[in-house]
Amino acid sequence: MFGYIYGYNAEAVNAEVTNNQFYSIEPALTDVVITSDSVIGAYAFYNADHIVNVTIPNTVESLGELAFAYCDALHTVTFDETCKIDTIKHGTFRDSVSLVMSTLPESVKVIEDYVFYNCVANPIFTVQNTVTSIGEYTFSFDEKHLDSALTTVTFEETCKIATIEEGLFKNATSLVMHELPASVNTIETMAFENCYAEGFTHFRVDNTVSTIEEAVFRGTDNLATLTLPFVGKEMNINDNNVVDKEEMFGWIYGWAINDGSEADIY
């Protein structure tokens, strides 16, 4: 952990050190420039509350999971133009509520799950065409962070992403999006749940999509026009004259909620 060089504080006495709050990092320290390391390990800056700016050199080839998670003041992470990092791992920046990051280096191919979870200050993000997958809940928020600034997520024209994973944009209440890249063939459950921004009024699911999982559009209160290539879960579901929830239009809105429990209708 980064705080190792500052030594333990009083909270570390007789406790298992699990984050940087157990170290005596001076509040005056706001900027960290790394010059030659190749690996920034898991939890490296976890809970390093006062750091505002971090510069990562092109020598770094790996960021560990949760490396910059829960860094309340972290605003800017600068990557070298010749960055070599190809994977942004689980929860790398999650709950860093001051972070503003509009894109990632072109070297990045995989964005794992929860990477930008609860990053409420970030207004826009561009997914570069080098990215092949984005993990679940990466751009989502919990119920304590429904005032997020995220309004725009843009995919480059030659996008390679095939799956919009579970809960990817859940509770992104300011997000306005009207379509997905042509590369997408699957939209997983709760992908746009509670995306109820005033501008989220219409949405088109392209003919390239063959599977739409349950409750994708639950809580999209302002969605007035929805264009779909099929009804239900999958393209060309066989109709055997038996009631099947996966064949119903309401499947994409999920089960109706009644007194906090699941009801038997959409």
Side-chain angles (χ1 to χ4, degrees):
M1 292 184 187
F2 171 74
Y4 179 80
I5 59 177
Y6 283 87
Y8 298 135
N9 59 29
E11 292 183 18
V13 176
N14 299 321
E16 180 182 357
V17 175
T18 57
N19 63 67
N20 281 284
Q21 289 191 345
F22 289 93
Y23 292 108
S24 300
I25 302 172
E26 294 298 333
L29 181 73
T30 59
D31 291 46
V32 175
V33 179
I34 301 162
T35 59
S36 58
D37 206 351
S38 62
V39 176
I40 297 176
Y43 293 80
F45 289 88
Y46 188 101
N47 253 333
D49 286 346
H50 303 292
I51 295 174
V52 177
N53 305 300
V54 174
T55 300
I56 299 175
N58 62 3
T59 56
V60 174
E61 298 180 357
S62 176
L63 291 180
E65 64 176 39
L66 298 163
F68 295 96
Y70 296 92
C71 293
D72 290 348
L74 183 64
H75 181 266
T76 305
V77 177
T78 303
F79 295 91
D80 190 274
E81 290 183 1
T82 56
C83 177
K84 299 181 179 69
I85 298 167
D86 64 3
T87 300
I88 305 298
K89 294 182 180 177
H90 164 76
T92 297
F93 302 107
R94 68 163 295 168
D95 287 272
S96 290
V97 294
S98 301
L99 181 67
V100 174
M101 184 178 292
S102 61
T103 193
L104 287 165
E106 291 184 359
S107 60
V108 173
K109 296 179 176 63
V110 176
I111 302 173
E112 292 188 355
D113 59 311
Y114 288 88
V115 167
F116 295 107
Y117 184 73
N118 285 339
C119 290
V120 294
N122 202 36
I124 61 172
F125 192 87
T126 298
V127 180
Q128 303 220 42
N129 59 16
T130 53
V131 175
T132 59
S133 67
I134 304 176
E136 59 186 31
Y137 297 97
T138 281
F139 295 105
S140 68
F141 305 88
D142 63 25
E143 293 183 357
K144 295 180 181 178
H145 297 85
L146 297 180
D147 58 345
S148 65
L150 185 65
T151 61
T152 307
V153 175
T154 303
F155 298 88
E156 291 192 338
E157 288 187 11
T158 54
C159 177
K160 299 179 178 67
I161 294 167
T163 300
I164 301 299
E165 296 208 18
E166 178 179 323
L168 184 59
F169 301 107
K170 183 176 180 179
N171 292 334
T173 59
S174 299
L175 179 69
V176 175
M177 185 179 293
H178 301 305
E179 61 183 355
L180 291 168
S183 59
V184 172
N185 57 46
T186 301
I187 307 175
E188 293 190 350
T189 185
M190 300 181 289
F192 293 99
E193 183 172 9
N194 294 332
C195 290
Y196 50 70
E198 289 185 4
F200 202 110
T201 56
H202 59 278
F203 197 92
R204 177 184 176 85
V205 179
D206 199 81
N207 290 339
T208 57
V209 173
S210 59
T211 302
I212 305 176
E213 295 291 351
E214 190 173 20
V216 165
F217 293 105
R218 178 159 54 199
T220 51
D221 294 354
N222 290 304
L223 182 59
T225 303
L226 182 59
T227 303
L228 298 166
F230 54 86
V231 173
K233 178 180 179 180
E234 296 176 340
M235 180 82 76
N236 301 323
I237 287 182
N238 293 324
D239 187 0
N240 54 12
N241 295 320
V242 176
V243 175
D244 186 346
K245 64 181 183 179
E246 294 182 1
E247 296 181 11
M248 295 182 181
F249 171 72
W251 163 261
I252 60 177
Y253 283 91
W255 295 107
I257 304 299
N258 182 19
D259 296 328
S261 61
E262 288 188 346
D264 59 357
I265 58 172
Y266 288 115

